[in-house]
Amino acid sequence: RKEIEMKTVQKSKISAKELNKQIERHLEELAKMTDKAKTNENMLRYLNFIAKLHQYSTGNILLIMLAKPDATFVAGFNKWKSMGRWVRKGEHGIPILAPVLVKEEEDGAEQKRLAGFKTVHVFDISQTEGQDLPEPPDWKSPEKNEELNQRLIQFANHNGITVEFVDLERDTQGVSMGGKIIIDPSAGTKTLIHELAHELMHKEENNHQSLAIKELEAESVAYVVSKHFGIGSLNSPNYVALHVASASELASQIDRIRNTANILISDISIDS
């Protein structure tokens, strides 16, 4: 395996002012590359495909995962048909709940009222065949730095966060669970930084940011810290673009991103 040299493993000699400038340069770079990634033909095809799929409620996602843990893309029979694919004969649908809406007239205006729920069936893409799907843009960054990994784990332990390495399903690289991080053994060092950023930034009870903003913040921190320590082959622009975040949104979160990246870099750079 290729060895990656860390920029600094002893006490960092860079000043706080220069570190903040460096962080902002990396974030400007990430913003430009993200906007460029969003205009890539393969990315546009993939995002268009994702946009056509229905977004399910948390309850229905749980039902889908219980019935078919390896599910990735799920849609109804007619939706798959409209996308040039069809459900294979003999496949059993995944039961979920759909709202039953009835029309009522109130004050001369027609309105819809929720009358209850009914069971409908959806199918995972693995249960269908037909037109080829667009390939997902490469969003993983698999390069590892074992020394940096150990320092990150030490940082986690000092902050009451346990780190476990466990095989994860459905292409998942890492999970932040509030005081615990699970990392797939195949994941690169950037994934560990990403999940640590989630732990530091998004576990407050009053945090109501959207998923896109949370992923933008965590991935931006991971990109900056990875760049600082010399980890290459970073596909962060694709990762951010896949969550439909923009350069302007990154700019609006720059203080939170910079502060968290600064904490990680400063702590990990000091030889304990």
Side-chain angles (χ1 to χ4, degrees):
R1 184 174 59 210
K2 177 183 174 184
E3 293 295 328
I4 306 168
E5 182 182 357
M6 289 174 63
K7 272 189 178 181
T8 172
V9 293
Q10 302 299 323
K11 186 172 181 180
S12 176
K13 292 183 168 121
I14 190 170
S15 69
K17 184 177 180 180
E18 179 54 38
L19 178 57
N20 281 331
K21 285 183 179 178
Q22 183 190 91
I23 289 172
E24 290 184 12
R25 285 197 299 270
H26 290 326
L27 290 175
E28 287 174 8
E29 176 186 60
L30 176 60
K32 289 177 182 177
M33 290 193 299
T34 297
D35 278 352
K36 184 176 180 180
K38 289 170 72 174
T39 63
N40 178 276
E41 185 178 349
N42 290 336
M43 177 70 73
L44 289 173
R45 278 203 304 267
Y46 189 76
L47 290 177
N48 184 52
F49 164 69
I50 295 296
K52 292 178 181 177
L53 294 174
H54 182 72
Q55 300 300 307
Y56 295 97
S57 68
T58 302
N60 275 334
I61 290 173
L62 178 60
L63 291 175
I64 292 168
M65 291 299 99
L66 288 173
K68 191 172 179 56
D70 60 343
T72 53
F73 298 121
V74 172
F77 184 92
N78 289 328
K79 171 60 73 173
W80 281 126
K81 188 175 179 181
S82 72
M83 296 171 69
R85 297 184 67 84
W86 56 91
V87 177
R88 289 194 299 263
K89 187 175 180 180
E91 292 286 353
H92 297 286
I94 303 167
I96 63 171
L97 297 175
V100 176
L101 301 175
V102 295
K103 294 180 180 179
E104 293 183 341
E105 191 169 305
E106 185 175 329
D107 298 328
E110 189 178 88
Q111 297 184 350
K112 291 183 178 180
R113 177 179 61 83
L114 177 64
F117 293 87
K118 64 180 179 180
T119 300
V120 298
H121 291 82
V122 294
F123 300 86
D124 182 56
I125 190 171
S126 63
Q127 300 174 286
T128 69
E129 55 191 6
Q131 290 184 11
D132 290 338
L133 298 176
E135 287 293 324
D138 190 3
W139 54 269
K140 297 179 182 178
S141 303
E143 288 197 16
K144 296 181 183 180
N145 182 312
E146 297 299 344
E147 182 180 357
L148 182 53
N149 271 6
Q150 290 306 310
R151 288 175 178 268
L152 290 165
I153 292 170
Q154 286 178 359
F155 174 89
N157 291 337
H158 290 162
N159 287 273
I161 304 165
T162 60
V163 179
E164 295 182 7
F165 290 85
V166 178
D167 288 331
L168 296 173
E169 296 181 346
R170 300 178 64 239
D171 219 26
T172 303
Q173 293 280 279
V175 180
S176 164
M177 305 174 67
K180 181 178 179 179
I181 291 172
I182 299 177
I183 302 292
D184 189 272
S186 69
T189 297
K190 182 177 72 67
T191 298
L192 179 52
I193 302 170
H194 178 105
E195 301 306 334
L196 272 173
H198 275 310
E199 290 287 321
L200 296 175
M201 304 176 80
H202 304 137
K203 298 307 172 183
E204 314 93 4
E205 290 184 5
N206 62 347
N207 188 289
H208 302 297
Q209 292 171 302
S210 68
L211 174 63
I213 293 298
K214 289 178 181 178
E215 292 303 322
L216 168 68
E217 289 186 337
E219 188 64 16
S220 297
V221 169
Y223 179 83
V224 167
V225 176
S226 296
K227 288 282 285 187
H228 180 84
F229 289 110
I231 295 176
S233 301
L234 300 174
N235 285 312
S236 295
N238 280 349
Y239 186 93
V240 175
L242 284 169
H243 285 86
V244 201
S246 66
S248 60
E249 287 172 320
L250 193 157
S252 70
Q253 307 298 320
I254 193 168
D255 287 339
R256 282 170 53 82
I257 295 167
R258 180 178 56 223
N259 291 342
T260 305
N262 202 322
I263 289 170
L264 281 166
I265 291 170
S266 300
D267 191 288
I268 295 165
S269 296
I270 298 175
D271 188 32
S272 53

